[in-house]
Amino acid sequence: MKIGIYPGSFDPPTLGHLNIIERASTLFDKVIVATMVNGSKNSSFTMEEKADFLRRMTKHLPNVEVDTFGGLLADYVSEKGACAIVKGLRAVSDFEYEFQMALANKKLNGNAETVFLMTDQHYLYLSSTIVRDIARHGGDISGFVSEEIREDIVNKLYQPKE
Amino acid sequence: MKIGIYPGSFDPPTLGHLNIIERASTLFDKVIVATMVNGSKNSSFTMEEKADFLRRMTKHLPNVEVDTFGGLLADYVSEKGACAIVKGLRAVSDFEYEFQMALANKKLNGNAETVFLMTDQHYLYLSSTIVRDIARHGGDISGFVSEEIREDIVNKLYQPKE
Amino acid sequence: MKIGIYPGSFDPPTLGHLNIIERASTLFDKVIVATMVNGSKNSSFTMEEKADFLRRMTKHLPNVEVDTFGGLLADYVSEKGACAIVKGLRAVSDFEYEFQMALANKKLNGNAETVFLMTDQHYLYLSSTIVRDIARHGGDISGFVSEEIREDIVNKLYQPKE
Amino acid sequence: MKIGIYPGSFDPPTLGHLNIIERASTLFDKVIVATMVNGSKNSSFTMEEKADFLRRMTKHLPNVEVDTFGGLLADYVSEKGACAIVKGLRAVSDFEYEFQMALANKKLNGNAETVFLMTDQHYLYLSSTIVRDIARHGGDISGFVSEEIREDIVNKLYQPKE
Amino acid sequence: MKIGIYPGSFDPPTLGHLNIIERASTLFDKVIVATMVNGSKNSSFTMEEKADFLRRMTKHLPNVEVDTFGGLLADYVSEKGACAIVKGLRAVSDFEYEFQMALANKKLNGNAETVFLMTDQHYLYLSSTIVRDIARHGGDISGFVSEEIREDIVNKLYQPKE
Amino acid sequence: MKIGIYPGSFDPPTLGHLNIIERASTLFDKVIVATMVNGSKNSSFTMEEKADFLRRMTKHLPNVEVDTFGGLLADYVSEKGACAIVKGLRAVSDFEYEFQMALANKKLNGNAETVFLMTDQHYLYLSSTIVRDIARHGGDISGFVSEEIREDIVNKLYQPKE
């Protein structure tokens, strides 16, 4: 069984992430969406919230599983018996960074092949940062995140001006 | 009347910013230079200081107005009846990020056209970060910022070594 | 009156070009779409065909004019009394090249300000080369070029396999 | 059965191409390496030579098949029942172009997912152009192309100075 | 005597840094490796630790000297009578930033020529951030840093999971 | 004696090239400017004309020598006993291509270190292509090429419209 791992910080997950998950689910027998514990960045959402968001967004995809992990991605890939790391690409700066990470992961684990999928052009502008920004200022984030999780994101982030 | 909005953090405004403002003022009937309240980044200067700097730097440009705004840029554009967001481009990483923001703003407000102007080659190396760095270490920032505001920047930032 | 010039080789013009023309027509009082005589590249279409295509595509835009020009763009801008050159941006390599051209044009003609507009994300993949490629192999180019000119392009380019 | 198609001009195929083929062969049940008939570029090798080179280089990979095709890639993908187009990435300019092609192919054929694999760092410098250049001047191309085809490439390209 | 200065934050120094130092030592009569006091970023290692690491790593290179500096790089270059700043390049984003810094340094000190060396392809994936990440999670960093300093890095950074 | 080689097609040489030559002449004991015989591209100027241009432009630089070469750059570097290849950088696409060539040259000749210098910002827009274009249409190329060779370039390239 060919397993692909789609790691990310998903803070929160967007329709762009979902688009990559859907594409990956047609290429692999099983896709594990793995929320990273990211020590250095302050998350707006807890790991539990993110994993819950991802489960609700992907419940229509039977071969997708949601997980969380700390430690090194290269080790996690071995542990899960995966043949590939899946990454979505949007822009040049993404590409450069992901390229370096992919080389490092390959060095640490010879089996950790990185597979890049292209984000659908409708989601090229989308990032978790932009979603947080819009939600915080009371902008409309439908069309940016899954309907299932929209309200929860707004409830957590919206900061009305006094 | 065609109004263009030039948003930024201007921490502090440089001659590169002024160069873009001057170019924009020949393209639009009115240009609003808008200092963004940026919640996530620590500013070295207050919003009032920045707006004051910008006013002093642009007093020779009759169709330029200085303002401050919080909230979403797309909303601010609607509110002001502007037809375009003006952005200066220096480098590839600028371009990528601005491209994403422009797509997001267009999605949020169909009338928020983003117009990119090219920074004059004399100011390609200039950024607010570099100006802060030089001023902090007692370097000479004339040629980097407007004469009108140079002393105020030095007074605030210079940290003499003991 | 603020005049913008949108120069290009338009071989043939695509919906991406049209998108930039429409955006420019809201920013300027008049837009001149100018087909360049490009000595070094072999065109698939003649200058007359291209100008004709552009006229048919833009007949709904009253402030858009179609023209052809040889010589230097910087000179042409002076001659027309334009305040800006309009360019559409799609990708990093576009950007680099256009940046160099914009600096050179500014050097040759201090009034030739270049204004970059962002191609709508629906047309990010579009180029005249791709349209020619698809038409040549009998692929469907509707959705890539204006309905008005589609048949003429196919008639000229389609090369049935024997 | 998941089929991936790896298209290219392979003029000639290098160890960088082989590296991508080997990686793809672990991700898909079957990989079709497809030499494109490229009308606009003059090839140094005929389609038959290229296909022969690829067959000799990949004879140790049982799930790899070599083919040639004209027409549109999007059509070829449908015809073969493939689920993905495989592309190797080396550099930013590669990425930009491939990104555009991937968007165009997706538009022409909704099932033509493009999967990007990262060229191994040992082959980052390698391209068919560089191999041709070195062979032409009598440089040593072992370490750049498969041992099986090295002599044939040298015999065809080497131009001794008189 | 031609002196080159190789400035950096070296937090910690990697085999990629060593590779650049070795290359620079063949181009200049003397190379000064200068650890910058970086006020804005939190370092994992103290300036003394970094300088000590660099001295142990470069003890086989007689024309290499290790130093630390605060203040402006352009001033430091003058003070040391150096003819060039040496920088290693890995990726496009590196390049953009370094390009801006090099222009700014040239403006501040006309003699501060920046010379870019290309990181060996074996170290393209390497950065201090990646080393810290791997060490923190107990991954194997041999092959990423000099043998002489490996243990000290692990001792400082490794955070066993409870 | 440290020798640097600055290879190029110089068709024709510009003030941007001269700027790099001047910078290189302060870093190396001797700089060899080497016009490449480029088989695949049609040159506007002969190798003799280019070498003559370069000699006239650099006659104020006693440690600069002009030469021409065919064959592989890596071999030429060995033959001349040089320690470095010098390249000027302007933009991202330059960088990508030069990076690949530098890796290939290092592979062919372990001593062929490539040293990148940054083109002065006044010449960022300059390329031989742009100079040819302007000269061909009768534009003013002073400020783009050395005074010594300006007339010869104009005489060869100017094509008056009838």
Side-chain angles (χ1 to χ4, degrees):
Chain A
M1 189 170 66
K2 294 188 190 297
I3 300 175
I5 288 182
Y6 180 39
S9 58
F10 304 113
D11 189 42
T14 69
L15 288 181
H17 296 129
L18 181 56
N19 181 256
I20 295 293
I21 296 170
E22 286 171 345
R23 291 174 176 221
S25 75
T26 69
L27 290 172
F28 296 95
D29 299 308
K30 180 168 149 187
V31 173
I32 302 176
V33 183
T35 309
M36 291 189 288
V37 181
N38 192 333
S40 62
K41 281 199 274 175
N42 296 318
S43 272
S44 294
F45 296 90
T46 66
M47 248 193 18
E48 288 68 33
E49 284 172 319
K50 294 172 187 181
D52 174 56
F53 286 166
L54 286 164
R55 274 189 202 99
R56 282 148 70 191
M57 282 163 66
T58 61
K59 58 176 187 284
H60 61 297
L61 299 167
N63 65 335
V64 170
E65 196 180 298
V66 175
D67 194 16
T68 62
F69 80 105
L72 289 175
L73 179 55
D75 292 342
Y76 181 72
V77 167
S78 295
E79 189 190 305
K80 290 290 173 185
C83 66
I85 297 162
V86 175
K87 303 292 293 189
L89 283 181
R90 277 175 322 194
V92 165
S93 8
D94 276 15
F95 170 62
E96 289 295 332
Y97 177 74
E98 296 301 351
F99 204 86
Q100 279 191 331
M101 287 310 299
L103 285 169
N105 282 320
K106 187 82 181 180
K107 169 100 179 164
L108 287 167
N109 174 357
N111 296 320
E113 184 70 42
T114 301
V115 165
F116 296 101
L117 301 182
M118 204 187 46
T119 306
D120 186 281
Q121 60 179 347
H122 294 97
Y123 304 116
L124 278 178
Y125 58 87
L126 249 191
S127 70
S128 298
T129 310
I130 284 174
V131 167
R132 287 200 308 271
D133 235 54
I134 297 172
R136 200 167 282 141
H137 294 108
D140 180 8
I141 59 169
S142 63
F144 292 11
V145 300
S146 287
E147 234 3 75
E148 286 89 346
I149 65 171
R150 186 170 58 82
E151 242 183 75
D152 288 354
I153 292 172
V154 171
N155 288 342
K156 179 128 193 193
L157 295 179
Y158 178 46
Q159 302 169 341
K161 282 188 267 194
E162 288 145 59
Chain B
M1 191 171 66
K2 293 189 190 297
I3 301 175
I5 287 181
Y6 179 39
S9 58
F10 305 112
D11 190 41
T14 70
L15 288 180
H17 296 129
L18 180 56
N19 181 255
I20 295 293
I21 296 170
E22 286 172 343
R23 293 173 176 221
S25 75
T26 70
L27 290 172
F28 295 94
D29 298 309
K30 180 169 149 188
V31 173
I32 303 175
V33 183
T35 308
M36 290 189 287
V37 182
N38 194 332
S40 62
K41 280 198 276 177
N42 294 318
S43 273
S44 293
F45 295 90
T46 66
M47 247 193 18
E48 287 70 32
E49 286 172 317
K50 294 173 188 181
D52 175 56
F53 287 165
L54 287 164
R55 274 189 202 99
R56 284 149 68 192
M57 284 163 63
T58 61
K59 58 177 186 285
H60 61 298
L61 299 167
N63 66 335
V64 170
E65 196 181 299
V66 175
D67 194 15
T68 62
F69 80 104
L72 288 175
L73 179 56
D75 292 344
Y76 182 73
V77 167
S78 296
E79 191 190 302
K80 290 289 173 184
C83 67
I85 297 162
V86 176
K87 304 291 295 189
L89 282 182
R90 279 176 319 195
V92 165
S93 8
D94 276 14
F95 170 63
E96 289 297 331
Y97 177 74
E98 297 299 351
F99 204 87
Q100 280 190 331
M101 287 310 298
L103 286 168
N105 281 320
K106 186 85 181 177
K107 170 101 180 166
L108 287 166
N109 173 359
N111 295 321
E113 185 69 42
T114 301
V115 165
F116 296 101
L117 301 182
M118 204 187 46
T119 306
D120 186 282
Q121 59 180 349
H122 294 97
Y123 304 117
L124 279 177
Y125 58 88
L126 252 190
S127 70
S128 296
T129 310
I130 283 174
V131 167
R132 286 201 308 270
D133 234 53
I134 296 172
R136 199 168 283 141
H137 294 108
D140 179 10
I141 60 170
S142 63
F144 292 11
V145 300
S146 287
E147 232 7 72
E148 285 89 346
I149 65 171
R150 186 171 58 82
E151 240 182 77
D152 288 355
I153 292 173
V154 170
N155 287 342
K156 179 130 192 190
L157 294 181
Y158 178 45
Q159 300 169 343
K161 281 188 269 192
E162 287 145 59
Chain C
M1 190 172 67
K2 295 190 189 295
I3 301 176
I5 287 182
Y6 180 39
S9 59
F10 305 112
D11 190 40
T14 69
L15 288 181
H17 296 129
L18 181 56
N19 180 255
I20 294 293
I21 296 169
E22 286 171 344
R23 292 173 175 222
S25 75
T26 70
L27 290 172
F28 296 94
D29 297 309
K30 180 169 148 187
V31 173
I32 303 175
V33 183
T35 309
M36 290 189 287
V37 181
N38 192 332
S40 61
K41 281 198 276 176
N42 295 318
S43 274
S44 294
F45 295 90
T46 66
M47 252 198 9
E48 288 69 34
E49 285 172 317
K50 293 171 187 181
D52 174 58
F53 287 166
L54 286 163
R55 275 189 201 98
R56 284 150 68 191
M57 283 162 65
T58 61
K59 58 175 186 285
H60 62 297
L61 299 165
N63 65 335
V64 170
E65 197 180 298
V66 175
D67 194 16
T68 63
F69 80 103
L72 289 176
L73 179 55
D75 292 342
Y76 181 73
V77 167
S78 296
E79 189 189 305
K80 291 289 173 184
C83 66
I85 298 163
V86 176
K87 304 291 294 190
L89 283 181
R90 277 175 320 194
V92 165
S93 10
D94 275 15
F95 170 63
E96 288 296 331
Y97 177 74
E98 297 300 350
F99 203 87
Q100 280 192 331
M101 288 310 299
L103 285 168
N105 281 320
K106 187 83 181 178
K107 169 100 179 167
L108 287 166
N109 173 358
N111 297 319
E113 185 69 41
T114 301
V115 165
F116 296 101
L117 301 181
M118 205 188 45
T119 306
D120 185 282
Q121 60 180 348
H122 294 97
Y123 303 116
L124 278 177
Y125 58 86
L126 249 189
S127 70
S128 297
T129 309
I130 284 174
V131 167
R132 288 199 308 271
D133 233 54
I134 296 171
R136 199 168 283 141
H137 293 110
D140 180 9
I141 59 169
S142 63
F144 293 9
V145 300
S146 287
E147 235 1 78
E148 285 89 345
I149 65 171
R150 186 171 58 82
E151 240 183 76
D152 288 354
I153 292 172
V154 170
N155 287 343
K156 180 130 191 192
L157 295 179
Y158 178 47
Q159 300 169 344
K161 282 189 268 192
E162 284 143 63
Chain D
M1 190 171 66
K2 293 188 190 298
I3 300 175
I5 287 181
Y6 179 40
S9 58
F10 304 112
D11 190 41
T14 69
L15 288 181
H17 296 128
L18 181 56
N19 180 255
I20 294 294
I21 296 169
E22 286 172 343
R23 291 173 176 222
S25 76
T26 70
L27 290 172
F28 295 94
D29 298 308
K30 181 170 149 185
V31 173
I32 302 175
V33 183
T35 309
M36 290 190 288
V37 182
N38 192 333
S40 61
K41 280 198 275 176
N42 294 319
S43 274
S44 294
F45 297 91
T46 66
M47 252 198 9
E48 287 70 31
E49 285 172 317
K50 294 172 187 181
D52 175 56
F53 286 165
L54 287 164
R55 274 188 202 101
R56 282 149 68 190
M57 283 163 65
T58 61
K59 59 176 186 285
H60 62 297
L61 299 167
N63 65 334
V64 170
E65 195 180 300
V66 175
D67 194 14
T68 62
F69 80 104
L72 288 174
L73 180 55
D75 292 343
Y76 182 71
V77 167
S78 296
E79 191 190 302
K80 291 290 173 183
C83 67
I85 298 164
V86 176
K87 304 291 294 190
L89 283 183
R90 277 175 321 191
V92 165
S93 9
D94 275 13
F95 170 62
E96 289 296 331
Y97 178 74
E98 297 301 350
F99 204 87
Q100 280 192 331
M101 287 311 299
L103 286 168
N105 281 321
K106 186 84 182 178
K107 170 100 179 166
L108 286 166
N109 174 358
N111 296 319
E113 185 70 41
T114 301
V115 165
F116 297 101
L117 301 182
M118 205 187 44
T119 305
D120 185 282
Q121 61 179 347
H122 293 96
Y123 303 116
L124 279 177
Y125 58 87
L126 251 190
S127 71
S128 297
T129 309
I130 284 174
V131 167
R132 288 199 308 272
D133 235 52
I134 296 172
R136 200 168 281 141
H137 294 109
D140 179 9
I141 59 170
S142 62
F144 292 10
V145 300
S146 287
E147 234 5 74
E148 285 88 346
I149 65 171
R150 187 170 58 83
E151 239 183 76
D152 287 354
I153 292 172
V154 171
N155 287 342
K156 180 129 191 191
L157 294 180
Y158 179 46
Q159 299 169 343
K161 281 188 268 192
E162 287 143 59
Chain E
M1 190 171 66
K2 294 190 189 295
I3 300 175
I5 288 181
Y6 179 39
S9 58
F10 305 113
D11 191 40
T14 69
L15 288 181
H17 295 128
L18 180 56
N19 181 255
I20 295 293
I21 296 170
E22 286 171 344
R23 292 174 175 220
S25 75
T26 71
L27 290 171
F28 296 94
D29 298 309
K30 181 168 148 188
V31 173
I32 302 175
V33 183
T35 309
M36 291 188 288
V37 182
N38 193 332
S40 62
K41 280 199 275 176
N42 295 319
S43 273
S44 294
F45 296 91
T46 66
M47 252 199 9
E48 288 69 32
E49 285 173 318
K50 294 172 188 181
D52 175 57
F53 287 167
L54 286 164
R55 274 189 202 101
R56 282 149 69 191
M57 282 163 66
T58 61
K59 59 175 185 284
H60 61 297
L61 299 167
N63 65 335
V64 170
E65 195 180 299
V66 174
D67 194 15
T68 63
F69 79 105
L72 287 175
L73 180 55
D75 292 343
Y76 181 72
V77 167
S78 296
E79 189 191 304
K80 290 289 173 186
C83 67
I85 297 163
V86 176
K87 304 292 292 188
L89 284 181
R90 278 175 321 194
V92 164
S93 8
D94 275 15
F95 170 64
E96 289 296 330
Y97 177 74
E98 296 301 349
F99 203 87
Q100 280 192 330
M101 287 310 298
L103 286 168
N105 281 320
K106 186 85 182 177
K107 170 100 180 165
L108 286 166
N109 173 358
N111 297 319
E113 185 69 42
T114 301
V115 164
F116 296 102
L117 300 182
M118 205 187 45
T119 306
D120 186 281
Q121 61 180 347
H122 294 96
Y123 304 116
L124 279 176
Y125 56 88
L126 250 190
S127 70
S128 297
T129 310
I130 284 174
V131 167
R132 286 200 308 273
D133 235 54
I134 296 171
R136 199 168 281 139
H137 293 108
D140 179 9
I141 60 170
S142 62
F144 291 11
V145 299
S146 288
E147 234 5 74
E148 285 89 346
I149 64 171
R150 187 170 59 81
E151 240 182 77
D152 287 353
I153 293 173
V154 170
N155 287 343
K156 180 129 191 192
L157 295 179
Y158 179 46
Q159 302 168 340
K161 282 189 268 191
E162 287 144 60
Chain F
M1 191 172 66
K2 295 188 189 296
I3 300 175
I5 287 180
Y6 180 40
S9 59
F10 304 112
D11 190 41
T14 69
L15 288 181
H17 296 129
L18 180 56
N19 180 256
I20 295 293
I21 295 170
E22 287 171 343
R23 292 174 175 221
S25 76
T26 70
L27 290 172
F28 296 95
D29 297 309
K30 181 170 150 187
V31 173
I32 302 175
V33 183
T35 310
M36 291 189 288
V37 182
N38 192 332
S40 61
K41 281 199 274 176
N42 295 319
S43 273
S44 293
F45 296 91
T46 66
M47 251 198 9
E48 288 69 32
E49 285 172 317
K50 294 172 186 181
D52 175 56
F53 287 165
L54 286 164
R55 275 189 202 101
R56 282 149 69 191
M57 285 163 64
T58 61
K59 60 175 184 285
H60 61 298
L61 300 167
N63 66 335
V64 170
E65 196 181 297
V66 174
D67 194 16
T68 61
F69 79 104
L72 288 176
L73 179 56
D75 292 344
Y76 182 72
V77 168
S78 296
E79 189 189 305
K80 290 289 174 185
C83 67
I85 298 163
V86 176
K87 304 292 294 189
L89 283 182
R90 278 174 322 193
V92 165
S93 9
D94 276 13
F95 169 63
E96 287 298 332
Y97 177 73
E98 296 301 350
F99 203 86
Q100 280 191 331
M101 287 310 299
L103 286 169
N105 281 320
K106 186 85 181 176
K107 168 102 180 165
L108 286 167
N109 172 358
N111 296 319
E113 185 70 40
T114 301
V115 165
F116 296 101
L117 301 182
M118 204 187 45
T119 306
D120 185 281
Q121 61 179 347
H122 294 97
Y123 304 117
L124 279 177
Y125 57 86
L126 251 190
S127 70
S128 297
T129 310
I130 284 173
V131 167
R132 287 199 307 271
D133 235 54
I134 296 171
R136 199 168 283 140
H137 294 108
D140 179 8
I141 60 169
S142 62
F144 293 10
V145 299
S146 288
E147 233 4 74
E148 285 89 346
I149 64 171
R150 186 170 58 82
E151 241 183 77
D152 287 354
I153 292 172
V154 170
N155 287 343
K156 179 128 192 193
L157 294 180
Y158 179 46
Q159 300 169 342
K161 281 188 269 193
E162 286 143 62

